[in-house]
Amino acid sequence: LKSLSEDETLNHLLNTFSEVSGKQLANPFDWLGNRPLLPYHYTIAGHSGSIHGDLNLQNILFAGEKEQVGWLIDFERSQKQGMVAFDLAKLEVQIWNHHLTPCLTQLATTLESPDTSKPQICYHLLDLALKATDFEDYSAELFQTQLKLNDLLLSASDLLLIPIANTIKLIACIRGFAMKQCQLTPIELSWARAVYCLNSAKYPNLSSWYCILAFLASAWHLDAVHPELNCEYYSFDRIKQCPKASTHKQQIDGFLVKLERHHESLNYR
């Protein structure tokens, strides 16, 4: 890879991961970079509402283990009107980068062998995790089942799978809240995740492997929503207002309680 240009390196990563996922993934920089392929008249439909602006696990506090009401802090970036999907996408991507990705790379290290490289295993694990998080009720079970069906990953330690399963459940919980309580659509959520995954790859506190997997995850989410290049028709839609029910204190508190329970389980081994 050292002899390749930047574009060639990115395309090599995408092609390698595409062989694992079975999808021909596009380069996120082509769609979301300085000169995006998206035409200027293309409109992404989304729900607007009050947003926190910096939703992450560090900004969700609980007074104690038995506390049933969570508190959000740090409202410096909050807005009365913003794209709600971006709030939840930022929270999910932070969990991916700082909890799920470290577990996946650690598991890949234990499965590495002379016949199977760490990159190859990482790509397989990322593919399975991305597929599993689309299923809210059985996300962890799906990941573990698919893992056992893959010859490369058959010897995965159950002990290492516990934090991965817990993190996948947490991500599925966030997606369930987004679609059921906030009534967001899969399309706007995929756009938001694609943008935030790509954006997160720039942070210097992430290791090279974490940045690579964030880039590939961005391409995965983008694949579900970007228009065909030869499509001459692009739909327009008004920004929809989130239903009032999604901002009710009881709904938010219930969601925060679920987050706290899953967050506590992330460090369980």
Side-chain angles (χ1 to χ4, degrees):
L1 290 179
K2 293 182 179 180
S3 62
L4 301 179
S5 67
E6 182 177 300
D7 287 341
E8 290 173 334
T9 300
L10 294 178
N11 288 331
H12 174 78
L13 289 173
L14 289 168
N15 291 335
T16 304
F17 184 59
S18 294
E19 292 176 1
V20 173
S21 67
K23 297 182 177 182
Q24 190 61 42
L25 300 177
N27 188 335
F29 285 106
D30 291 341
W31 292 93
L32 305 171
N34 293 331
R35 296 181 179 179
L37 294 174
L38 281 177
Y40 288 110
H41 60 276
Y42 184 74
T43 301
I44 299 171
H47 290 77
S48 68
S50 298
I51 63 171
H52 182 274
D54 190 19
L55 192 60
N56 61 69
L57 293 176
Q58 286 69 42
N59 287 335
I60 302 173
L61 303 181
F62 284 81
E65 293 182 2
K66 298 182 179 180
E67 185 64 48
Q68 295 298 304
V69 178
W71 300 90
L72 292 176
I73 63 171
D74 189 4
F75 290 92
E76 182 180 355
R77 299 180 184 178
S78 62
Q79 299 180 30
K80 291 183 178 180
Q81 291 293 321
M83 191 171 178
V84 179
F86 279 120
D87 240 8
L88 297 172
K90 184 170 186 177
L91 176 61
E92 178 181 327
V93 171
Q94 190 231 16
I95 294 171
W96 270 92
N97 289 341
H98 297 286
H99 293 281
L100 185 54
T101 297
C103 291
L104 294 178
T105 54
Q106 182 183 3
L107 180 59
T109 301
T110 66
L111 296 174
E112 190 175 6
S113 69
D115 298 325
T116 309
S117 65
K118 179 178 178 179
Q120 187 178 12
I121 297 173
C122 278
Y123 296 152
H124 278 280
L125 290 173
L126 176 63
D127 177 60
L128 296 182
L130 286 166
K131 291 175 179 176
T133 48
D134 281 336
F135 294 85
E136 180 186 358
D137 296 327
Y138 304 102
S139 54
E141 292 80 2
L142 177 63
F143 177 82
Q144 292 173 314
T145 299
Q146 293 298 313
L147 199 67
K148 298 303 182 183
L149 295 176
N150 191 307
D151 293 337
L152 293 177
L153 313 173
L154 188 60
S155 59
S157 168
D158 289 335
L159 186 62
L160 291 175
L161 291 178
I162 292 175
I164 295 176
N166 289 335
T167 312
I168 288 176
K169 288 180 181 178
L170 172 56
I171 293 172
C173 172
I174 295 172
R175 294 190 182 185
F177 175 81
M179 298 182 67
K180 293 178 181 178
Q181 271 67 45
C182 299
Q183 298 183 16
L184 305 185
T185 67
I187 292 178
E188 62 185 306
L189 288 169
S190 291
W191 274 114
R193 287 192 291 263
V195 170
Y196 262 116
C197 282
L198 182 63
N199 183 66
S200 71
K202 71 180 182 182
Y203 292 112
N205 62 328
L206 295 181
S207 71
S208 298
W209 260 115
Y210 296 5
C211 293
I212 289 173
L213 296 186
F215 170 77
L216 295 175
S218 174
W220 170 280
H221 295 303
L222 188 62
D223 180 72
V225 290
H226 73 72
E228 296 294 333
L229 288 178
N230 59 356
C231 180
E232 298 180 356
Y233 173 75
Y234 298 94
S235 62
F236 291 82
D237 199 353
R238 293 186 302 107
I239 295 292
K240 302 173 183 177
Q241 295 293 324
C242 273
K244 292 183 179 180
S246 66
T247 60
H248 283 173
K249 187 176 184 301
Q250 185 177 6
Q251 298 273 15
I252 299 298
D253 286 344
F255 173 57
L256 294 179
V257 168
K258 287 185 178 180
L259 279 182
E260 173 65 9
R261 290 171 180 169
H262 285 304
H263 189 202
E264 290 174 351
S265 68
L266 291 183
N267 296 322
Y268 176 73
R269 295 292 188 271

